[in-house]
Amino acid sequence: MYCRNCGVQVDHAGEFCTNCVPQQPTLQPIPQQASSKRGLGVGATVFVASILLVATYVALHPSNGNSGNTTTSAQASTQDSTPTSDTAPAKDPTYKIGDTFSVGVWTYRVERMRWASSIGSDYMTEYPDAKFLIVYLDAENNDRTASTLPPFKLVDAAQREYDATSKGMFLPGSFGALKSLNPGVASGGAVVFDVPPGNYALQVSGGFEAGGHATVDLLGQQPPQPQQQEQQPQTPPQPQQPGQQQ
């Protein structure tokens, strides 16, 4: 490499020409036009790409006003299609004494009911804690296999539920806890409850697997009240007149 001022060959690694004025740079950087052009081309590409990205973002994300309206419409649509928890559940069908009806895989018919102060026999008598309510009914199994008779319940006006009492086993002809019937077989029996006097409805089930319930209204079937004998007012004896025979 040669110095541009004096033409003396200088070392490539040297920074100044020793033949010229000290600390005079021997080499002057030559602008690299090709590199500048190449850098300008890269910058233009990045600028165009940025514009495309901005345009794509704007197209995919509309203004805040439209976005808010879209979200509100979607939420309204979702709220309209979502069922509310205020929807009242379907009530169980209600029947009267003497009606024949089916629920699930069972058919029922309540024949009658009565109140009792005791059950059993002369050798074994059971007394209630409150009052015995005895319901007589028929049940038929409509399933394809043998099935255990579902449990029965009483429901009062406050929707409180009462189970059958285990003391019912002392009543002849009562349904046991594990009463089972074959398909197409019907049986009659009694269910005993130990409950306070009042108005009740009998709740029956369609089966352990079939599900479903129905109620039989026992309204008005109050326990008999002890009758009080009316006392006739006694007529005081009349005084005897003189001359009347005793």
Side-chain angles (χ1 to χ4, degrees):
M1 180 178 294
Y2 298 91
C3 178
R4 296 180 58 185
N5 292 328
C6 63
V8 177
Q9 185 175 2
V10 295
D11 186 10
H12 176 70
E15 187 175 358
F16 300 94
C17 177
T18 58
N19 191 39
C20 297
V21 180
Q23 298 183 357
Q24 181 178 358
T26 59
L27 297 177
Q28 295 182 358
I30 302 176
Q32 298 180 359
Q33 298 179 357
S35 176
S36 299
K37 292 181 179 179
R38 187 164 52 251
L40 180 60
V42 174
T45 303
V46 173
F47 179 75
V48 174
S50 301
I51 294 177
L52 292 177
L53 289 176
V54 172
T56 303
Y57 180 84
V58 172
L60 296 178
H61 299 79
S63 63
N64 293 334
N66 294 336
S67 177
N69 294 336
T70 303
T71 303
T72 304
S73 300
Q75 292 177 350
S77 178
T78 304
Q79 294 176 357
D80 292 341
S81 60
T82 303
T84 60
S85 58
D86 297 336
T87 303
K91 293 184 178 180
D92 296 333
T94 303
Y95 301 92
K96 303 186 300 295
I97 294 178
D99 292 343
T100 301
F101 59 93
S102 297
V103 53
V105 296
W106 291 91
T107 298
Y108 299 99
R109 177 185 172 88
V110 175
E111 300 292 346
R112 60 188 179 92
M113 57 84 64
R114 68 181 179 91
W115 294 89
S117 299
S118 64
I119 58 175
S121 61
D122 296 336
Y123 304 98
M124 182 68 68
T125 303
E126 280 291 325
Y127 298 94
D129 297 319
K131 196 80 171 179
F132 284 135
L133 175 59
I134 307 172
V135 182
Y136 297 89
L137 62 117
D138 299 327
E140 181 179 358
N141 179 17
N142 300 320
D143 203 355
R144 293 178 295 179
T145 59
S147 299
T148 301
L149 191 64
F152 300 93
K153 294 179 180 293
L154 285 183
V155 181
D156 63 8
Q159 298 303 309
R160 294 176 295 187
E161 297 183 353
Y162 303 82
D163 293 332
T165 177
S166 59
K167 298 177 182 179
M169 62 185 301
F170 295 97
L171 179 68
S174 64
F175 286 126
L178 299 177
K179 177 68 175 181
S180 179
L181 294 177
N182 284 318
V185 176
S187 177
V191 185
V192 182
F193 299 91
D194 189 350
V195 294
N199 293 321
Y200 297 93
L202 178 69
Q203 184 185 79
V204 299
S205 171
F208 295 100
E209 296 182 0
H213 295 87
T215 57
V216 180
D217 190 8
L218 306 177
L219 185 64
Q221 303 295 325
Q222 295 284 352
Q225 301 294 333
Q227 296 181 356
Q228 297 181 355
Q229 295 181 354
E230 295 183 359
Q231 296 182 356
Q232 299 293 336
Q234 296 181 358
T235 304
Q238 298 294 332
Q240 295 182 354
Q241 298 293 333
Q244 289 183 351
Q245 299 181 355
Q246 295 290 335

